[in-house]
Amino acid sequence: QKEVEQNSGPLSVPEGAIASLNCTYSDRGSQSFFWYRQYSGKSPELIMFIYSNGDKEDGRFTAQLNKASQYVSLLIRDSQPSDSATYLCAVRRSGGYQKVTFGTGTKLQVIP
Amino acid sequence: NAGVMQNPRHLVRRRGQEARLRCSPMKGHSHVYWYRQLPEEGLKFMVYLQKENIIDESGMPKERFSAEFPKEGPSILRIQQVVRGDSAAYFCASSPYREGPDGYTFGSGTRLTVV
């Protein structure tokens, strides 16, 4: 079982719709959760992080965390063609130094 | 305030040659993390270094790969006798904290192509 699992996609949504990206993780000791956006040929860019159960909103982005279900998601409202990218979910265990573990990413295509 | 600087951006090596990838952390950051991304795959942790110390090299292949972060100068990821399978994008991130920041800021990466 992979530590962090994501559907590779592509996930296609029409412009203006809500894109929902999902991620599950296997380590119950995970404490910190991150979403990165990576455009083709570019480096990953941090867009959201969440530590507590529930929702965290930042502009058009909402991260949702459910530790009991070991599930984290990213919602993108009013999707734009510029949101087309690969979205990487990442987790980190609690306690001192712990490396960040990444999923393989979900490719999102926003259709104009 | 420059971000994490990596060079070269692109590196082409023939099989059997050595590749040296450099990472200059953000100013004031003494912790560096190296990740590798194979085509169509996620980021894989390789090594975590502090100044003059390797803290965690659990993701580094045992042979041909080495990393250092000297007291002065950039962190260096060195790959000896490169093979085709080493072709990948190599990213580094830096942090001022041992426990890591609220997520990493990555450099622009070095794309290694082995021919």
Side-chain angles (χ1 to χ4, degrees), chain A residues 52-71:
Chain A
S52 304
N53 277 329
D55 295 0
K56 179 181 179 182
E57 187 174 317
D58 183 1
R60 295 186 297 113
F61 298 97
T62 298
Q64 300 175 317
L65 174 61
N66 184 326
K67 290 186 178 179
S69 300
Q70 296 176 245
Y71 177 92

Side-chain angles (χ1 to χ4, degrees), chain A residues 36 38 41 43 51 92 97 100, chain B residues 35 37 56 101-102 104 107 111:
Chain A
Y36 287 80
Q38 186 175 28
S43 60
Y51 301 143
R92 185 172 67 209
Y97 157 70
V100 175
Chain B
Y35 281 76
Q37 187 173 39
D56 180 359
D102 291 334
Y104 294 146
R111 281 145 185 89

Side-chain angles (χ1 to χ4, degrees), chain A residues 34 36 38 41-44 46 49 51 88 92 96-97 99-100 102-104, chain B residues 35 37 42-43 45 48 56 58 91 98-104 106-107 111:
Chain A
F34 310 94
Y36 287 80
Q38 186 175 28
K42 301 295 185 182
S43 60
L46 179 67
F49 61 87
Y51 301 143
L88 303 172
R92 185 172 67 209
Y97 157 70
K99 62 179 181 279
V100 175
F102 287 80
T104 54
Chain B
Y35 281 76
Q37 187 173 39
L43 290 158
F45 170 80
Y48 160 43
D56 180 359
S58 59
F91 294 100
R98 182 178 185 271
E99 288 74 26
D102 291 334
Y104 294 146
F106 286 95
R111 281 145 185 89

Side-chain angles (χ1 to χ4, degrees), chain A residues 16-78:
Chain A
I18 295 176
S20 178
L21 302 158
N22 304 314
C23 172
T24 59
Y25 58 95
S26 61
D27 186 349
R28 287 197 172 272
S30 298
Q31 182 186 46
S32 307
F33 306 87
F34 310 94
W35 283 100
Y36 287 80
R37 177 177 61 200
Q38 186 175 28
Y39 293 111
S40 181
K42 301 295 185 182
S43 60
E45 173 192 10
L46 179 67
I47 55 173
M48 291 284 290
F49 61 87
I50 187 167
Y51 301 143
S52 304
N53 277 329
D55 295 0
K56 179 181 179 182
E57 187 174 317
D58 183 1
R60 295 186 297 113
F61 298 97
T62 298
Q64 300 175 317
L65 174 61
N66 184 326
K67 290 186 178 179
S69 300
Q70 296 176 245
Y71 177 92
V72 58
S73 65
L74 179 70
L75 302 178
I76 307 175
R77 290 181 298 282
D78 188 23

